[in-house]
């Protein structure tokens, strides 16, 4: 496969197959519905709990995870990344071992990149990673629109793994529709891009908002309500983000005043070198596996660091002021 960007694909590789969707959460529900609408024989694999009942209510055949793998030739593994290795080793791998061939699709590169899951040699290991939350996928699909996905192949046991990847991208409504695009990528690249968002500009935004709030309220006597409305509660930030997606980062700048353009561009230049160093350091920690080891360690100890951070963050002055304002606004 030479093309880097794919707008449409052939569904044939999935047509005569049973496709199991393992996990019926954010991505599982959205992807299962669209696959079914596209005429694919979809079954759900889940633990016997509320998601199981929900899938039944939605008219799917639902089985235990091992049974769903047994009944299918292709599976989309859509459980949270931190539980996927356990689910794979206990419920999926023993069934795949009994088969001649299997195709296993991931929506994130994490577990394959770091070797938490090492699939059997008889398995096509495929990545179809939506750049969109499950709700967004469904709502775009209802408007007849596609969405972006990164696709990749880590192991091509059948010689047809790329055809499966493209067919899954089409089957889950990403391509073949206006706005849809699949970019040829890899498990490593997807993991780097995904985690680097979470380790660079997203936390910098949170830190900048907290620092902004503390400075204007503590040192300039601004009311917490005015600060939070300015920061995010007004919805202006969401509108700017939408304009970035639709018009582009620079074209949307024309919607801002000249004073704003001048301020944003001069300060972006001023902060660039400092931020680039942060991004480089975080990218290196992702690429080397240092972050994955750090996070695995916290999970092994019952997520003590994550729980502690939730406590610290939600007892900050900003969080408390937000709670008061959002109650007044009837948002909670
Ligand atoms: P969810 O948290 O929504 O998954 C919930 C599903 O996983 C439920 O069916 C749940 O079943 C099952 N599950 C949870 N824990 C276990 C367990 N221990 N054993 C068996 N089943 C379990 O996941 P997402 O949809 O958010 O993520 C799925 C994949 O998609 C991940 O690889 C993620 O990185 C990727 N992705 C997610 C995006 C998103 O928007 N959330 C965007 C792009 C990719 P039960 O009721 O039994 O708990």
């Amino acid at each position: 496969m030479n093309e880097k960007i794919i707008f449409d694909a052939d569904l044939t590789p999935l047509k005569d197959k049973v496709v199991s969707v393992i996990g019926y959460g954010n991505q599982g529900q959205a992807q299962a519905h669209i696959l079914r609408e596209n005429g694919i024989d979809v079954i759900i694999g889940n633990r016997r709990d509320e998601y199981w009942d929900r899938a039944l209510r939605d008219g799917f055949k639902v089985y235990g995870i091992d049974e769903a793998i047994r009944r299918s030739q292709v599976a989309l593994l859509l459980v949270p990344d931190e539980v996927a290795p356990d689910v794979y080793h206990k419920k999926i791998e023993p069934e795949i071992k009994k088969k001649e061939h299997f195709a296993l699709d991931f929506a994130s590169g994490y577990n394959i990149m770091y070797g938490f899951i090492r699939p059997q040699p008889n398995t096509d290991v495929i990545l179809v990673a939506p750049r969109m939350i499950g709700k967004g996928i469904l709502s775009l699909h209802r408007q007849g629109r596609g969405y972006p996905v990164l696709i990749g192949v880590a192991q091509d046991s059948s010689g047809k793994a790329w055809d499966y990847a493209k067919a899954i991208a089409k089957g889950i409504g990403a391509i073949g529709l206006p706005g849809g695009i699949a970019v040829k990528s890899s498990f490593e690249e997807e993991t780097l891009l995904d985690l680097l968002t979470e380790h660079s500009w997203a936390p910098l935004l949170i830190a900048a908002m907290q620092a902004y709030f503390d400075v204007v309220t503590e040192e300039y006597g601004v009311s917490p309500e005015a600060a939070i409305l300015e920061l995010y509660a007004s919805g202006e930030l969401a509108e700017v983000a939408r304009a970035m997606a639709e018009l582009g980062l620079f074209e949307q700048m024309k919607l801002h005043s000249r004073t704003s353009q001048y301020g944003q561009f001069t300060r972006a230049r001023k902060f660039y070198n400092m931020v680039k160093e942060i991004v480089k350091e975080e990218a290196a920690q992702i690429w080397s596996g240092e972050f994955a080891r750090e996070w695995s360690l916290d999970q092994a100890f019952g997520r003590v660091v994550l729980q502690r951070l939730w406590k610290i963050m939600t007892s900050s002055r900003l969080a408390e002021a937000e709670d008061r304002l959002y109650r007044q606004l009837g948002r909670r």
Side-chain angles (χ1 to χ4, degrees), residues 23-28 46-47 49 51 65 77-81 83 87 107-108 130 132-134:
Y24 198 65
N26 294 312
Q27 289 292 326
N46 210 86
R47 294 188 297 193
D49 60 12
Y51 282 108
I65 293 173
L77 183 55
L78 299 174
V79 298
D81 290 334
V83 307
V87 171
S108 129
M132 184 64 64
I133 58 170

Side-chain angles (χ1 to χ4, degrees), residues 180-223:
I181 178 171
V183 179
K184 190 186 172 195
S185 180
S186 66
F187 283 73
E188 288 79 6
E189 199 176 279
E190 193 277 336
T191 305
L192 174 68
L193 293 174
D194 191 42
L195 293 182
L196 195 53
T197 285
E198 293 157 6
H199 299 186
S200 60
W201 66 262
L204 283 169
L205 185 65
I206 297 174
M209 284 191 179
Q210 286 185 310
Y212 176 114
F213 177 82
D214 289 343
V215 169
V216 298
T217 57
E218 286 167 6
E219 296 177 24
Y220 294 87
V222 172
S223 73

Side-chain angles (χ1 to χ4, degrees), residues 313-325:
M313 291 301 226
T314 53
S315 56
S316 65
R317 286 179 59 249
L318 172 57
E320 283 168 5
E322 176 195 287
D323 195 46
R324 279 194 303 276
L325 176 64

Side-chain angles (χ1 to χ4, degrees), residues 70-92:
R70 212 172 298 143
R71 289 172 176 265
S72 57
Q73 295 82 44
V74 179
L76 276 51
L77 183 55
L78 299 174
V79 298
D81 290 334
E82 62 271 26
V83 307
D86 191 49
V87 171
Y88 175 80
H89 291 119
K90 290 190 180 141
K91 303 281 181 190
I92 297 178

